[in-house]
Amino acid sequence: MLTFQHRRAVGMGGSKNVPSPVDGLSLCGPCNEGCEGALQATALRFGWKVRRWVAHPERVPVFYPLEMAWFRLEGVIRVRITRAVAMEMGCSVYGAEWLRWHEAIA
């Protein structure tokens, strides 16, 4: 079963604000739970989660493992991008932290 995964933390009990399409993803239940626990580092590296301070989550690319591809989210659509563009986008938001997350999988 798919569940809604907030990309940005909303705090305990959720938020009264309706999230925009770029603020969330549909994930299976175990992966959704893992994004908050054991998979948190992976979730950040692949854009499934973004740091709370990220004002524009659409600037963080998302990796879809079943397609083995990176995407940029634009409202309710996603646009396939190259790994190079994903690296550029991620670095523009996270800087050296993004590079550290990805150096092991280059």
Side-chain angles (χ1 to χ4, degrees):
M1 172 168 33
L2 293 178
T3 60
F4 183 80
Q5 167 62 39
H6 287 95
R7 291 180 71 204
R8 283 189 290 182
V10 294
M12 298 299 288
S15 170
K16 293 182 187 345
N17 299 326
V18 175
S20 72
V22 297
D23 276 326
L25 299 171
S26 293
L27 297 177
C28 68
C31 287
N32 193 334
E33 289 178 24
C35 284
E36 307 303 329
L39 294 176
Q40 191 167 31
T42 299
L44 287 167
R45 181 172 57 236
F46 290 151
W48 307 335
K49 295 289 286 183
V50 296
R51 298 269 191 222
R52 185 183 304 266
W53 53 263
V54 173
H56 300 282
E58 68 275 7
R59 294 184 182 165
V60 178
V62 178
F63 184 75
Y64 286 79
L66 292 176
E67 297 170 74
M68 295 299 292
W70 286 95
F71 291 84
R72 178 181 73 236
L73 302 180
E74 292 182 0
V76 296
I77 65 167
R78 59 189 186 131
V79 177
R80 191 175 187 141
I81 58 175
T82 65
R83 184 179 185 282
V85 170
M87 290 299 290
E88 192 174 299
M89 288 176 68
C91 285
S92 73
V93 175
Y94 291 113
E97 185 176 28
W98 183 267
L99 291 174
R100 283 192 302 277
W101 291 342
H102 291 271
E103 65 189 8
I105 57 173

